[in-house]
Amino acid sequence: MKTEHYLILSLIFLSILSGAMYYNTVLVDTQAYVPSVYYLQDKSLQDDDITRVETSYAFKRPVEIAFASIIEPIIGVRQSYSLTNLILLCITSVLTYFYLRKLFKNHEQKQLIAYVGAILCATALPLIIYATRVLVDVAGYVTLLLGLIIIDYFLEKKYPLWTDHLKISLLIGFFLLVRDAAVILYPYYILKFLLRRGFNLNYMSKKIWSLWPLIFTLVPQLIFMWWFDVGFLLAGKSTMITSGKYSLLGWLKFFIVHFAAFHIAWLFAILGLINDKDKTRRFFYSIFSLSAVIYLVGIQFVALTSPRFSMVLFPVVFALAAYGIIIIADKLSDKIRIIKINQTTIILVLLVIYASISFIGAWLYPAHGLISEDAGGDIVLKAVFNEIQLKIGGLFA
Amino acid sequence: MNSVKRLAKIVFIISFILCFIVLSNIIITKINDKKEYDYFIERAINNDNMTHCENIKNLRFSVLCYSEFIKKGDGCDNENSENPACLIALAADNQDELFCDKVFPPENLPYNLECRVTIFIERYTDEGFNNCCNIK
């Protein structure tokens, strides 16, 4: 078999392993995703179920629901979400590999870095916990990656036309109907376009007006709202901004959750950030991180901060972490050459440690109680310790 | 062999073996669960005693077993009054999601959600309990 075959098949197998742990399980949002399928199938729903669908935030992301409603008669409602998500999870891992290979196109070890990054993605804690449940989170990450690839493609042109901006606007608008994480593509797109010639205020002030087709991004959303007579994506969200979320303990929860999502990959990523001197990539890290942080802080105010939102950081954290792992492996293999430990062995050991923490973390995920939206970091830690007691205690009972 | 191919080959072999073990385990468990279900539902029906359903470890099959009796008009009384499978079967038969909140409080979250989602599925399809209750 060719190298590429091994790469792709191993990523698919790893994705299946990750998806197996919480396959077909439910979370609070599932209560809206399930009746939404019947609603789109035009089944005669009870009044309270119609209200449940039309007022739910889940229904504002109708693309995967629509797909599930097509295959539901064949495999059932839960499997139609879970199986679609499992396939999307495999696509995600493979797409991450191709995206990172393009990002590191000038690096001599681009294939290795991209593959390590894709393995980090396939065994990521947030994907193990959320990807294959009866939810639509992983579809959001696929749109994020596709959006990045398409934006990069259009902005590689020397003079993008207004029609190019229009295409991107409509595309991101459509992606918002898959999952709201695509919203970070706006700041990324605008910053990438305006900063093409560095921080040149004269150029930026001239070019900002050429982004006018961005207003058409609302078209898919408006068509959806008109067709189904439902409110805007953010309708009702203002009532969810509560004091608990921006208290000190609320921010503690924010840091615990996003730290836990990547655990030791953060250390590799910091090492990668220190060592990666490539200007193009550093520009990408800066503008994408800025876009993602704006989104994550926004989410902290209007929704329950959860590791599933950390997915928006994947392209940056995994690119940097993969680079960091290669740096560690290169340096260590030079130092301990006497006992013949090569680069591959060190990379493999680091990946096994990372994947093991992800799987153990996913197993210890606190699933036995509802953590309220206003809960602080102390409540999250308590729930985690309770789960550890329950699961570790259960092993010896 | 370059380092990428070597790494990819090792990861491929490890992930393939693990996948094989996990998927085989899932299939074997499903077959054993079905056997266990067939055995206990037969005993439950022959003895007209739904308590036998309690011995079925898989929640989905246990719900399926209890639902046979619930459909006939039995309730979750005495020994079955706190059995999650019996309560889910009862909730699904009553089509009452508020009942799920009553019998499965927030600290019993996975059961509460499974119960509610099962009701929605039962309300609009004849899927039965096919996909019910993948509780970890």
Side-chain angles (χ1 to χ4, degrees):
Chain A
M1 277 204 289
K2 283 182 185 171
T3 310
E4 292 274 298
H5 295 151
Y6 280 119
L7 292 176
I8 292 168
L9 283 174
S10 60
L11 289 174
I12 290 172
F13 286 137
L14 283 176
S15 304
I16 293 171
L17 275 175
S18 297
M21 191 179 255
Y22 286 101
Y23 184 82
N24 210 11
T25 55
V26 297
L27 272 184
V28 178
D29 302 8
T30 310
Q31 294 176 85
Y33 285 118
V34 166
S36 294
V37 164
Y38 305 133
Y39 182 84
L40 283 189
Q41 286 174 333
D42 223 8
K43 281 188 175 153
S44 164
L45 263 61
Q46 290 181 3
D47 286 348
D48 53 344
D49 283 342
I50 293 175
T51 312
R52 180 174 281 124
V53 171
E54 289 180 342
T55 57
S56 78
Y57 190 60
F59 190 61
K60 310 273 169 60
R61 308 141 164 177
V63 176
E64 192 174 342
I65 300 172
F67 184 74
S69 70
I70 296 168
I71 55 172
E72 185 274 337
I74 310 164
I75 52 174
V77 68
R78 289 176 64 147
Q79 289 289 356
S80 54
Y81 278 108
S82 304
L83 199 60
T84 307
N85 287 337
L86 183 63
I87 294 165
L88 288 175
L89 177 59
C90 297
I91 293 172
T92 294
S93 310
V94 176
L95 213 55
T96 302
Y97 166 72
F98 285 111
Y99 180 72
L100 293 183
R101 201 175 68 171
K102 193 170 167 289
L103 187 68
F104 286 89
K105 62 184 174 195
N106 299 324
H107 198 284
E108 55 181 4
Q109 298 195 79
K110 62 180 178 191
Q111 201 179 20
L112 185 60
I113 297 172
Y115 182 52
V116 170
I119 292 176
L120 294 175
C121 174
T123 53
L125 178 72
L127 288 180
I128 299 173
I129 299 177
Y130 297 105
T132 53
R133 288 183 188 260
V134 188
L135 300 171
V136 301
D137 294 271
V138 72
Y141 183 58
V142 174
T143 59
L144 199 63
L145 274 180
L146 284 175
L148 280 176
I149 292 166
I150 292 163
I151 287 173
D152 288 351
Y153 168 75
F154 277 113
L155 294 188
E156 268 168 17
K157 290 183 182 178
K158 203 168 182 185
Y159 300 107
L161 302 168
W162 72 270
T163 48
D164 294 330
H165 295 306
L166 180 68
K167 283 172 198 164
I168 293 177
S169 304
L170 291 174
L171 190 82
I172 303 177
F174 172 74
F175 284 167
L176 280 181
L177 295 178
V178 178
R179 183 80 167 76
D180 50 3
V183 79
I184 77 163
L185 292 171
Y186 291 116
Y188 173 76
Y189 171 53
I190 295 168
L191 288 170
K192 182 154 185 174
F193 177 67
L194 294 179
L195 296 171
R196 274 148 62 100
R197 294 190 187 167
F199 196 76
N200 181 340
L201 276 176
N202 192 27
Y203 175 82
M204 286 160 72
S205 58
K206 270 186 201 163
K207 285 292 171 184
I208 196 161
W209 302 109
S210 61
L211 288 170
W212 66 267
L214 266 182
I215 53 168
F216 287 100
T217 202
L218 288 171
V219 170
Q221 188 72 38
L222 290 173
I223 292 173
F224 169 69
M225 285 163 60
W226 167 73
W227 191 274
F228 289 102
D229 195 21
V230 291
F232 185 62
L233 190 73
L234 293 173
K237 283 286 173 188
S238 59
T239 54
M240 298 177 80
I241 302 176
T242 53
S243 58
K245 288 174 183 167
Y246 51 87
S247 66
L248 270 178
L249 282 173
W251 285 111
L252 176 66
K253 176 179 156 191
F254 179 86
F255 285 108
I256 291 171
V257 164
H258 296 304
F259 172 77
F262 297 100
H263 48 90
I264 57 163
W266 281 118
L267 299 176
F268 303 141
I270 291 167
L271 193 72
L273 185 64
I274 294 166
N275 285 281
D276 193 356
K277 303 291 180 203
D278 183 89
K279 271 188 180 174
T280 318
R281 284 197 297 274
R282 288 191 83 85
F283 175 63
F284 164 74
Y285 301 145
S286 314
I287 59 169
F288 192 84
S289 304
L290 181 66
S291 313
V293 168
I294 293 169
Y295 171 78
L296 290 176
V297 171
I299 284 290
Q300 166 77 357
F301 289 127
V302 297
L304 175 73
T305 285
S306 130
R308 59 171 125 172
F309 300 118
S310 311
M311 286 184 207
V312 296
L313 288 168
F314 279 10
V316 165
V317 176
F318 291 147
L320 285 169
Y323 195 81
I325 286 176
I326 303 299
I327 296 282
I328 295 173
D330 284 346
K331 286 189 177 166
L332 279 183
S333 60
D334 278 347
K335 281 187 181 166
I336 46 181
R337 196 172 280 165
I338 320 141
I339 46 171
K340 287 186 179 173
I341 293 182
N342 58 24
Q343 187 203 34
T344 313
T345 314
I346 297 165
I347 293 173
L348 200 63
V349 169
L350 293 175
L351 287 175
V352 168
I353 294 171
Y354 167 82
S356 305
I357 297 175
S358 287
F359 277 98
I360 294 169
W363 179 59
L364 294 174
Y365 167 78
H368 287 86
L370 194 63
I371 297 175
S372 76
E373 292 201 351
D374 252 1
D378 53 333
I379 308 280
V380 174
L381 286 175
K382 205 175 156 192
V384 172
F385 286 126
N386 283 345
E387 194 73 22
I388 292 172
Q389 268 183 334
L390 200 76
K391 295 229 167 102
I392 305 283
L395 286 180
F396 300 103
Chain B
M1 195 161 37
N2 66 30
S3 56
V4 187
K5 189 165 187 180
R6 199 181 310 132
L7 181 67
K9 211 170 176 180
I10 298 168
V11 176
F12 169 77
I13 293 166
I14 296 172
S15 58
F16 177 76
I17 293 169
L18 287 175
C19 242
F20 182 77
I21 294 169
V22 169
L23 294 179
S24 310
N25 189 37
I26 291 171
I27 293 167
I28 291 167
T29 310
K30 284 212 180 282
I31 293 168
N32 288 339
D33 284 348
K34 180 75 174 70
K35 276 184 191 164
E36 191 181 56
Y37 166 74
D38 289 338
Y39 175 74
F40 282 111
I41 193 161
E42 199 184 329
R43 286 186 69 176
I45 290 171
N46 287 345
N47 299 327
D48 196 22
N49 183 359
M50 61 151 68
T51 312
H52 288 288
C53 300
E54 197 183 16
N55 299 319
I56 302 171
K57 281 190 233 73
N58 181 290
L59 191 68
R60 175 198 141 202
F61 283 123
S62 192
V63 172
L64 201 59
C65 178
Y66 276 110
S67 69
E68 292 290 325
F69 293 90
I70 300 288
K71 275 178 202 160
K72 285 196 301 183
D74 292 354
C76 299
D77 310 316
N78 307 322
E79 312 93 301
N80 301 305
S81 62
E82 286 183 12
N83 188 293
C86 187
L87 294 170
I88 290 177
L90 191 60
D93 192 61
N94 293 341
Q95 290 291 307
D96 178 10
E97 63 258 32
L98 293 176
F99 178 75
C100 299
D101 296 339
K102 256 187 261 171
V103 295
F104 300 115
E107 60 269 23
N108 218 339
L109 189 66
Y111 288 106
N112 178 295
L113 288 175
E114 287 288 351
C115 180
R116 294 176 70 98
V117 171
T118 304
I119 288 174
F120 297 138
I121 296 172
E122 281 289 293
R123 194 173 281 165
Y124 301 111
T125 67
D126 53 0
E127 260 186 54
F129 296 97
N130 274 343
N131 286 313
C132 152
C133 317
N134 290 275
I135 290 180
K136 299 281 166 184

